[in-house]
Amino acid sequence: MADLYTDTATVEDPVGSDVRTGRDAILPLYAGLEHSRNSTELLTLRIAGNEAAFHFRVTSEVDGTEYVFEPIDVMTFADDGRIASMRAFWSASDTRSS
Protein backbone atom coordinates (compact mmCIF):
# COMPACT_ATOMS: atom_id res chain seq x y z
CA MET A 1 0.00 0.00 0.00
CA ALA A 2 2.78 2.43 0.85
CA ASP A 3 4.07 2.12 -2.72
CA LEU A 4 0.91 3.89 -3.91
CA TYR A 5 2.28 7.09 -2.33
CA THR A 6 4.98 9.45 -3.62
CA ASP A 7 8.27 9.55 -1.72
CA THR A 8 7.24 12.84 -0.08
CA ALA A 9 3.52 12.16 0.38
CA THR A 10 1.67 13.31 3.47
CA VAL A 11 -1.02 11.42 5.37
CA GLU A 12 -3.25 12.80 8.11
CA ASP A 13 -5.23 9.79 9.37
CA PRO A 14 -7.43 10.72 11.08
CA VAL A 15 -7.65 14.47 10.46
CA GLY A 16 -6.34 16.22 13.54
CA SER A 17 -3.59 13.67 14.19
CA ASP A 18 0.08 14.19 13.42
CA VAL A 19 0.81 14.41 9.70
CA ARG A 20 3.05 11.59 8.46
CA THR A 21 5.45 12.55 5.67
CA GLY A 22 7.11 10.07 3.32
CA ARG A 23 6.43 6.41 2.59
CA ASP A 24 8.55 5.18 5.51
CA ALA A 25 6.34 7.17 7.90
CA ILE A 26 3.15 6.01 6.16
CA LEU A 27 3.97 2.29 6.12
CA PRO A 28 3.08 1.64 9.81
CA LEU A 29 -0.50 2.78 9.13
CA TYR A 30 -0.98 -0.18 6.82
CA ALA A 31 1.16 -2.75 8.67
CA GLY A 32 -1.65 -3.41 11.16
CA LEU A 33 -3.91 -4.59 8.35
CA GLU A 34 -1.67 -7.56 7.58
CA HIS A 35 -3.09 -9.67 10.41
CA SER A 36 -6.78 -9.03 9.88
CA ARG A 37 -9.33 -9.98 7.28
CA ASN A 38 -10.60 -6.84 5.53
CA SER A 39 -13.09 -5.89 2.88
CA THR A 40 -13.97 -2.48 1.49
CA GLU A 41 -16.93 -1.08 -0.35
CA LEU A 42 -16.91 2.25 -2.19
CA LEU A 43 -20.05 4.21 -1.29
CA THR A 44 -19.47 7.61 -2.95
CA LEU A 45 -16.73 9.06 -5.16
CA ARG A 46 -16.13 12.58 -6.44
CA ILE A 47 -13.19 13.52 -8.68
CA ALA A 48 -12.09 17.02 -9.62
CA GLY A 49 -8.81 17.47 -11.48
CA ASN A 50 -6.07 15.68 -9.58
CA GLU A 51 -8.12 15.33 -6.39
CA ALA A 52 -10.67 12.81 -5.18
CA ALA A 53 -12.98 12.51 -2.19
CA PHE A 54 -14.58 9.20 -1.40
CA HIS A 55 -16.77 7.69 1.28
CA PHE A 56 -16.26 3.99 1.81
CA ARG A 57 -17.01 1.19 4.24
CA VAL A 58 -14.26 -0.94 5.78
CA THR A 59 -15.13 -4.22 7.46
CA SER A 60 -12.33 -5.89 9.42
CA GLU A 61 -12.34 -9.11 11.37
CA VAL A 62 -9.85 -9.32 14.22
CA ASP A 63 -9.81 -12.29 16.61
CA GLY A 64 -13.39 -13.20 15.73
CA THR A 65 -14.81 -9.70 16.20
CA GLU A 66 -16.05 -7.72 13.20
CA TYR A 67 -15.39 -3.96 13.10
CA VAL A 68 -17.04 -1.62 10.61
CA PHE A 69 -16.28 2.02 9.92
CA GLU A 70 -17.01 4.46 7.13
CA PRO A 71 -14.34 7.12 6.65
CA ILE A 72 -14.23 9.84 4.05
CA ASP A 73 -10.80 10.20 2.45
CA VAL A 74 -9.59 13.17 0.42
CA MET A 75 -6.56 12.56 -1.81
CA THR A 76 -4.40 14.62 -4.13
CA PHE A 77 -2.57 12.77 -6.90
CA ALA A 78 0.80 13.51 -8.50
CA ASP A 79 1.23 13.59 -12.28
CA ASP A 80 2.39 9.94 -12.21
CA GLY A 81 -0.89 8.88 -10.55
CA ARG A 82 0.58 8.18 -7.12
CA ILE A 83 -0.93 9.72 -4.00
CA ALA A 84 0.69 13.02 -2.97
CA SER A 85 -1.55 13.64 0.04
CA MET A 86 -4.32 11.91 1.92
CA ARG A 87 -6.58 13.16 4.70
CA ALA A 88 -8.95 10.70 6.38
CA PHE A 89 -12.06 12.06 8.06
CA TRP A 90 -13.23 9.70 10.82
CA SER A 91 -13.13 9.24 14.59
CA ALA A 92 -13.40 6.33 17.02
CA SER A 93 -17.11 7.06 17.42
CA ASP A 94 -17.56 6.13 13.73
CA THR A 95 -16.50 2.53 14.42
CA ARG A 96 -18.95 -0.18 15.44
CA SER A 97 -18.33 -3.82 16.32
CA SER A 98 -20.37 -6.99 16.31
Side-chain angles (χ1 to χ4, degrees):
M1 291 286 294
D3 288 340
L4 297 174
Y5 291 86
T6 65
D7 292 338
T8 58
T10 59
V11 170
E12 186 179 1
D13 186 358
V15 168
S17 65
D18 291 337
V19 175
R20 296 170 184 254
T21 302
R23 284 188 291 183
D24 289 341
I26 294 167
L27 185 60
L29 285 173
Y30 296 103
L33 300 174
E34 293 177 20
H35 303 290
S36 61
R37 197 174 85 203
N38 301 287
S39 64
T40 59
E41 177 185 359
L42 181 62
L43 302 174
T44 304
L45 171 66
R46 299 291 184 270
I47 298 172
N50 67 336
E51 298 184 64
F54 52 99
H55 176 209
F56 61 107
R57 179 178 300 121
V58 178
T59 303
S60 298
E61 185 180 319
V62 180
D63 297 328
T65 301
E66 185 176 271
Y67 299 91
V68 178
F69 73 108
E70 295 183 5
I72 297 171
D73 284 4
V74 176
M75 294 183 174
T76 302
F77 296 89
D79 290 338
D80 66 1
R82 292 187 300 155
I83 303 163
S85 68
M86 188 271 276
R87 299 181 77 214
F89 292 80
W90 67 277
S91 68
S93 65
D94 297 322
T95 303
R96 59 188 188 277
S97 63
S98 59

